Structure formats: structure tokens, C-alpha cells
Amino acid sequence: MAAYKPVVVQACPKLGERITQDTLYWRGDKGGESGPAAATPVQIKEFGAVNKIDFSPVPPYNYAVTASSRIHIYGRYSQEPIKTFSRFREAAYGATYRDDGRLLAAGSEDGSVCLLDVGGKAPLRQFEGHTKPVHVVGFLSDKYRIFSGGDDYSSTLWDIASAKEITSYSEHTDYVRCGCASKVNADVFITGSYDHTVKLFDARTKSSVMTIEHGHPVESVLLFPSGGLLVSAGGRYVKVWDVLKGGQLLVSLKNHHKTVTCLCLNSSGQRLLSGSLDRHVKIYSTTSYKVVHSFNYATSILSLALSPEDETIVVGMTNGVLNVKHRKPEEKSENSQKKRQPAYRTYMKGRTYMPKQEDFCVSKPVKRVLRKYDKLLRSFQSSKALDAVLEPAIMVHTPEVTVAVMQELHRRGTLRSALAGRDEKQVNLLLTFVARRVIEPRFTPVLVTVADMITDIYHPVVGQSAVVDKQFLKLKEAIGKEIDYQEELLEVLGMMDTLFATFTKKTDTCLEENKSNGVTEIIETNRSY
């Protein structure tokens, strides 16, 4: 009896990912998407959605996480908070470090702004003035003033020493939800609002000095270190503006599928990162503004921060999970002795030896491991073999295996019997797979046959199950759409053939004219002689 030959699964080529310097750089994070050195990212569960992450500008680069009514401070490699501020009556928002890393400022749901000492417990100052929740807080670059923005549509400037209000601007017509301060000018700060505008304020004036129309509710704003370029995020758009040219739009990026919620720059300012509700972090080059890399996360992203040395990327999500990825450190052990490896000849010994006539060759038998469906096919259990490849994990991730088994059953002539005698749930599963995959060219020849057999077998029971009827309608719709596409493509192909034929005729006509002109010129030349 001949040995059983396993089912041959059609292998389709896969497009390889383009590996660039950015891919290698960003995949150097521990817990990156792939790579032998990648480790699992650290997952930290917070008490609520993480609305703000901010790294300390000074070593050891701890970061503050604002979630619910708490502010946690984590070390770069700690999974437990090294300090917690929990003296908020209601939710806290937007905790931000001062440039020296010694103070934190945060807003709250009750409309107050708190100034916190990183080394202490109780708030140093509490600024009262907003009538609604304050989501935006930040320090001006002189370190002695704080700006804030709230849901009362106002933006306020505070003096730290006296804990009094310096000035207040009420130019926005909706919630103020983001802001940043200039590193170059100590009097300039920027706020973004749900009224679709970004306003630039100068503390020396009584009103805003520039208004930029973003076009969507503004979720995040970012000022480049030079102070000349401004980035705003809102809706699906990330827009870059030239502040020195009066707010001229330089580029509009639309690479996300849902609302962009956060922005940040890397340490060199050459890469811009954006996080979105579509669960992706996109990394752009600030010279070409093209996406050079992206990360995928489990749920929607609310906040994003990158450590000053690009060593750690921290992402806060709507489900309260904090995702921390660390770059793989470059380990250079100069003093450690390298373990001696066997010589090359050790591995190659005996490779070229040719057996002689008196030698007895011992061959190790190769044990062939069969898949579950191959074992069932070998024992002629057609129906069970089909059931084995209709499991969700196989149908979704390796549909070519399911189709290969169907093709083998059809070759044996047992496909009809394997499809028959199924209940409502199994027929629904079959029709779902066929309706989804029948339009793929590599599967179409086999699945069209399967669809015909299913229709013939279960035609008498149509109308008895609403679930099966719905799947039949989906199958009909999918095939109808594919036929329409094919007809449109044939029409386009006919148009292209006509155009190519026209171009060919014109070329032939031009060649004939050139030839005739050449003959005439030769005759005239001969006559002149």
C-alpha cells in the first residue's frame, strides 16, 4: 500500500516589509513589534483613562501620569509609582513638569489649579478663578508664571509667588482642551479649543496676537523648540503652521482613521509622533512629513510621551492601561571574556566523507507529523476533515488550508457528501467563509464549485432559517458586486485597447509620411545634379 501524501497547501508570496533606518531605530525598543531582542512591553493599570503623561526634563527622567483623581510619578524602569498625589477632591487633569523638574502643575474637575512640589505631599499653591473644569496647565519658560485653560472658555495667566491671577483671556467660544508655552519667548503661550481655533497669546497684550483656524475641534498643540513652527491636531488631521509668516499652513496630514488626540516630538526635533483613537501611533519625518514608522496598540490612545533621550515611549489609553516600551540598551562589556566557540573544522568534520563499499550506512528514519485534517483524510473521514478546517482560527488566519482541503475532497469526489447533512450553525459557518473569500482570485475556482454544491444541497430548506437565508443573500450580493466590477474592468480594457489601436495607427501614418517625404527629397536632389 502506498504511503499517504499530505494535502498540498498553495503557498502565496507575501510582500516583505520595507526595512528603513527608522524601522530599525524605533524597533530598538524593548517590546517592539518584532525582532529577537524585543521583549514584552510593560503594562500598568491605572484607576481611569490616562489623560496626560509628562516626562521630567532632568535626570533620572521620571514621568508623571494623570488618571482619575490621582497623579502617579513613575521611574523609567519601575512598574509601581514612586510617588502619588491623591489630594484631589475630583478628577485631575494635565499634570506638567516645570523645566527644572522640581514642580508640577495640574488642573482639576472643580476648576482649581494646583502647584505641587515633587518632593512634598501637600499642594504648594492653589489657584482659584475658573468656574469649570481645567484641562490645560503649563509653565511659561521664565518658570514663575503658569497658564491654564478651562471649560469656561477662558485662558488665564497666574503668578506663582503671589498665587494671584495676572490676566485672563476669554476669546475662545468653546472648551479649551490643549496648550503649550514657547521655549524662546517667556511671554508667549498657545491654546487650542473645541471652537476649531488655535490662539497665540502674549502676556504683554490684552488680547490674542494670532488666531489660526484648524477646521476641527483641537485636541493637541505643539510648538517646535525654535518657536517658528506650530503643530495642531484635531479630527483626523495633523496640521503644521508657520508662525513667523502669520500662521500660514505648511502641510496637512491625514494618516489616521479616527480623531488624533496627542502629539510629541523626539529629542532632536526631527521626528513628530501622533497618537489617535484608531489605536495607532504614527511617526513622521519633520523634513518630508511622511510616515516613517508606526506602532499598533490594543485600544484607543489618549496620551503619549517620549523620554528626553528617546529611550522610553509611554502611551496612555482609554481603558486606563499605561503601555511602556524601553529601548534595548547597548551592552558593551569590554572586560567580560568572550566564551570560546568550537573551531570551524569541528562542525565541518566528516561532511565530505564518501562511504566506501564495505561501509554500512545507518540512516535515521524521518518521522512525518500529520495535521489533524490529514489524519482524517487518511482514514477517509471527509466530513470530519472539513470540520477540522472550518475552525475560526484556521479560516481567519490560514484560509488557504481550508480551500486546499475542499479542493482535495473535490478531487476525491467526496466534497458533496462532506457538505451535506449539516445543521444551521454549520451551514452558516460555511456560507460566511464562502461569501467572504469567493472574490479572492486565488480561491475563486474552488469556492465557486463549493457555492454551487451548497446551493444545490440546501435549496429545499431555503426559507426555514432566517440566519441561513441572510448568508445566502450576502453570497448573492458578493457575487453580484464582483460581476459588476468585472464588467467595468472589461469596459475600461476595451477603452484602453481602442486608445492603443489609435496610437498605433497614428505612428504608422507618421512613418509612411516620413518615408514618402524622404523619397521626394532624394528625387529632387538627383534632378538638381
Side-chain angles (χ1 to χ4, degrees):
M1 184 177 178
Y4 172 78
K5 294 183 179 180
V7 174
V8 179
V9 180
Q10 180 184 3
C12 298
K14 295 182 179 179
L15 292 176
E17 183 182 0
R18 184 182 177 187
I19 304 298
T20 62
Q21 290 298 324
D22 280 280
T23 305
L24 299 174
Y25 179 81
W26 293 104
R27 282 193 175 182
D29 295 339
K30 288 182 179 178
E33 297 169 351
S34 65
T40 305
V42 178
Q43 302 276 354
I44 303 173
K45 184 72 171 104
E46 287 291 337
F47 292 93
V50 181
N51 62 76
K52 177 72 174 181
I53 304 168
D54 192 48
F55 271 91
S56 172
V58 296
Y61 304 123
N62 298 332
Y63 58 94
V65 178
T66 311
S68 185
S69 59
R70 290 177 172 84
I71 300 173
H72 291 306
I73 297 179
Y74 292 90
R76 281 197 298 176
Y77 302 105
S78 65
Q79 298 186 25
E80 296 293 333
I82 59 178
K83 191 172 187 59
T84 301
F85 296 98
S86 57
R87 296 189 180 184
F88 290 90
R89 293 190 294 270
E90 298 182 60
Y93 299 110
T96 307
Y97 275 100
R98 196 168 72 169
D99 287 344
D100 57 6
R102 299 173 61 184
L103 296 179
L104 274 171
S108 65
E109 185 71 21
D110 59 8
S112 62
V113 178
C114 293
L115 183 66
L116 306 167
D117 184 358
V118 174
K121 294 183 178 179
L124 295 178
R125 296 281 190 276
Q126 191 153 347
F127 306 93
E128 303 287 348
H130 288 283
T131 58
K132 289 187 177 180
V134 178
H135 286 261
V136 185
V137 180
F139 291 91
L140 295 187
S141 58
D142 61 5
K143 303 180 183 178
Y144 302 114
R145 289 176 292 177
I146 294 175
F147 72 91
S148 61
D151 288 355
D152 56 0
Y153 311 163
S154 67
S155 304
T156 307
L157 202 60
W158 311 90
D159 179 56
I160 294 178
S162 62
K164 293 182 179 179
E165 177 184 312
I166 299 175
T167 183
S168 181
Y169 304 93
S170 300
E171 298 188 18
H172 286 293
T173 58
D174 208 333
Y175 299 157
V176 181
R177 287 298 174 91
C178 56
C180 63
S182 172
K183 303 291 183 184
V184 179
N185 192 325
D187 294 307
V188 174
F189 66 97
I190 295 168
T191 58
S193 169
Y194 280 4
D195 63 3
H196 301 189
T197 63
V198 177
K199 291 185 180 290
L200 189 146
F201 296 96
D202 191 322
R204 297 165 293 187
T205 62
K206 296 182 179 180
S207 62
S208 62
V209 296
M210 185 183 297
T211 299
I212 295 172
E213 185 69 33
H214 179 81
H216 296 84
V218 183
E219 298 284 351
S220 182
V221 291
L222 182 67
L223 201 59
F224 274 66
S226 63
L229 296 179
L230 170 69
V231 186
S232 61
R236 296 168 56 191
Y237 294 88
V238 175
K239 298 185 178 182
V240 184
W241 313 85
D242 191 339
V243 177
L244 301 179
K245 291 185 178 180
Q248 178 183 348
L249 178 63
L250 295 181
V251 65
S252 178
L253 308 172
K254 189 181 177 183
N255 296 98
H256 287 282
H257 302 297
K258 293 184 179 179
T259 301
V260 183
T261 54
C262 47
L263 298 168
C264 77
L265 281 171
N266 74 333
S267 56
S268 64
Q270 296 180 354
R271 295 294 181 266
L272 172 67
L273 285 75
S274 65
S276 168
L277 296 180
D278 64 4
R279 305 182 296 108
H280 286 85
V281 171
K282 303 284 186 183
I283 303 174
Y284 308 88
S285 167
T286 54
T287 53
S288 63
Y289 292 105
K290 293 182 179 179
V291 177
V292 295
H293 193 64
S294 65
F295 292 106
N296 187 18
Y297 289 87
T299 56
S300 301
I301 297 168
L302 282 182
S303 51
L304 166 70
L306 193 62
S307 64
E309 296 179 347
D310 297 349
E311 194 271 340
T312 306
I313 179 171
V314 185
V315 172
M317 291 172 272
T318 53
N319 60 355
V321 173
L322 199 66
N323 186 292
V324 185
K325 293 181 179 180
H326 296 289
R327 182 174 302 284
K328 180 188 174 185
E330 296 180 1
E331 299 178 356
K332 295 182 179 179
S333 54
E334 297 178 357
N335 300 327
S336 62
Q337 295 182 356
K338 188 177 180 181
K339 186 178 179 181
R340 185 181 177 186
Q341 300 292 333
Y344 177 73
R345 63 176 179 271
T346 305
Y347 295 106
M348 300 304 295
K349 186 177 180 180
R351 289 287 183 91
T352 58
Y353 177 78
M354 297 298 293
K356 299 178 181 178
Q357 188 175 1
E358 61 272 12
D359 290 341
F360 179 76
C361 298
V362 179
S363 60
K364 186 178 179 180
V366 179
K367 186 178 179 181
R368 180 177 293 177
V369 180
L370 295 178
R371 303 279 184 179
K372 182 180 178 180
Y373 56 84
D374 277 319
K375 293 179 181 179
L376 294 168
L377 286 172
R378 185 175 62 178
S379 58
F380 303 102
Q381 301 181 51
S382 304
S383 184
K384 290 184 179 180
L386 185 58
D387 292 338
V389 294
L390 287 178
E391 295 178 359
I394 297 178
M395 289 196 302
V396 173
H397 300 293
T398 55
E400 60 273 8
V401 174
T402 305
V403 175
V405 171
M406 290 179 174
Q407 188 175 9
E408 175 64 17
L409 291 173
H410 181 59
R411 187 188 67 82
R412 294 184 177 193
T414 57
L415 180 58
R416 180 178 287 272
S417 61
L419 294 172
R422 296 182 174 271
D423 57 16
E424 178 185 15
K425 184 178 179 181
Q426 292 174 333
V427 174
N428 179 38
L429 200 63
L430 268 171
L431 288 172
T432 302
F433 176 77
V434 173
R436 182 178 298 175
R437 300 290 182 178
V438 71
I439 59 175
E440 296 187 26
R442 54 178 177 160
F443 301 146
T444 300
V446 179
L447 293 184
V448 166
T449 304
V450 174
D452 288 340
M453 289 187 180
I454 294 175
T455 307
D456 292 340
I457 295 170
Y458 297 99
H459 177 69
V461 298
V462 171
Q464 298 180 12
S465 171
V467 177
V468 174
D469 293 347
K470 184 178 179 181
Q471 292 301 329
F472 271 118
L473 291 174
K474 285 186 177 180
L475 177 60
K476 178 183 176 183
E477 183 181 356
I479 295 175
K481 284 185 178 179
E482 185 65 20
I483 291 173
D484 292 339
Y485 292 151
Q486 295 291 341
E487 290 178 352
E488 291 178 4
L489 288 173
L490 287 173
E491 291 178 1
V492 173
L493 185 60
M495 296 177 189
M496 294 176 67
D497 288 341
T498 306
L499 290 173
F500 291 149
T502 305
F503 292 152
T504 306
K505 289 180 180 179
K506 286 185 178 179
T507 306
D508 293 342
T509 305
C510 292
L511 289 173
E512 289 177 0
E513 290 180 355
N514 291 336
K515 288 181 181 179
S516 61
N517 292 336
V519 171
T520 306
E521 290 175 359
I522 291 171
I523 293 172
E524 290 178 353
T525 306
N526 291 334
R527 286 180 180 176
S528 62
Y529 279 106

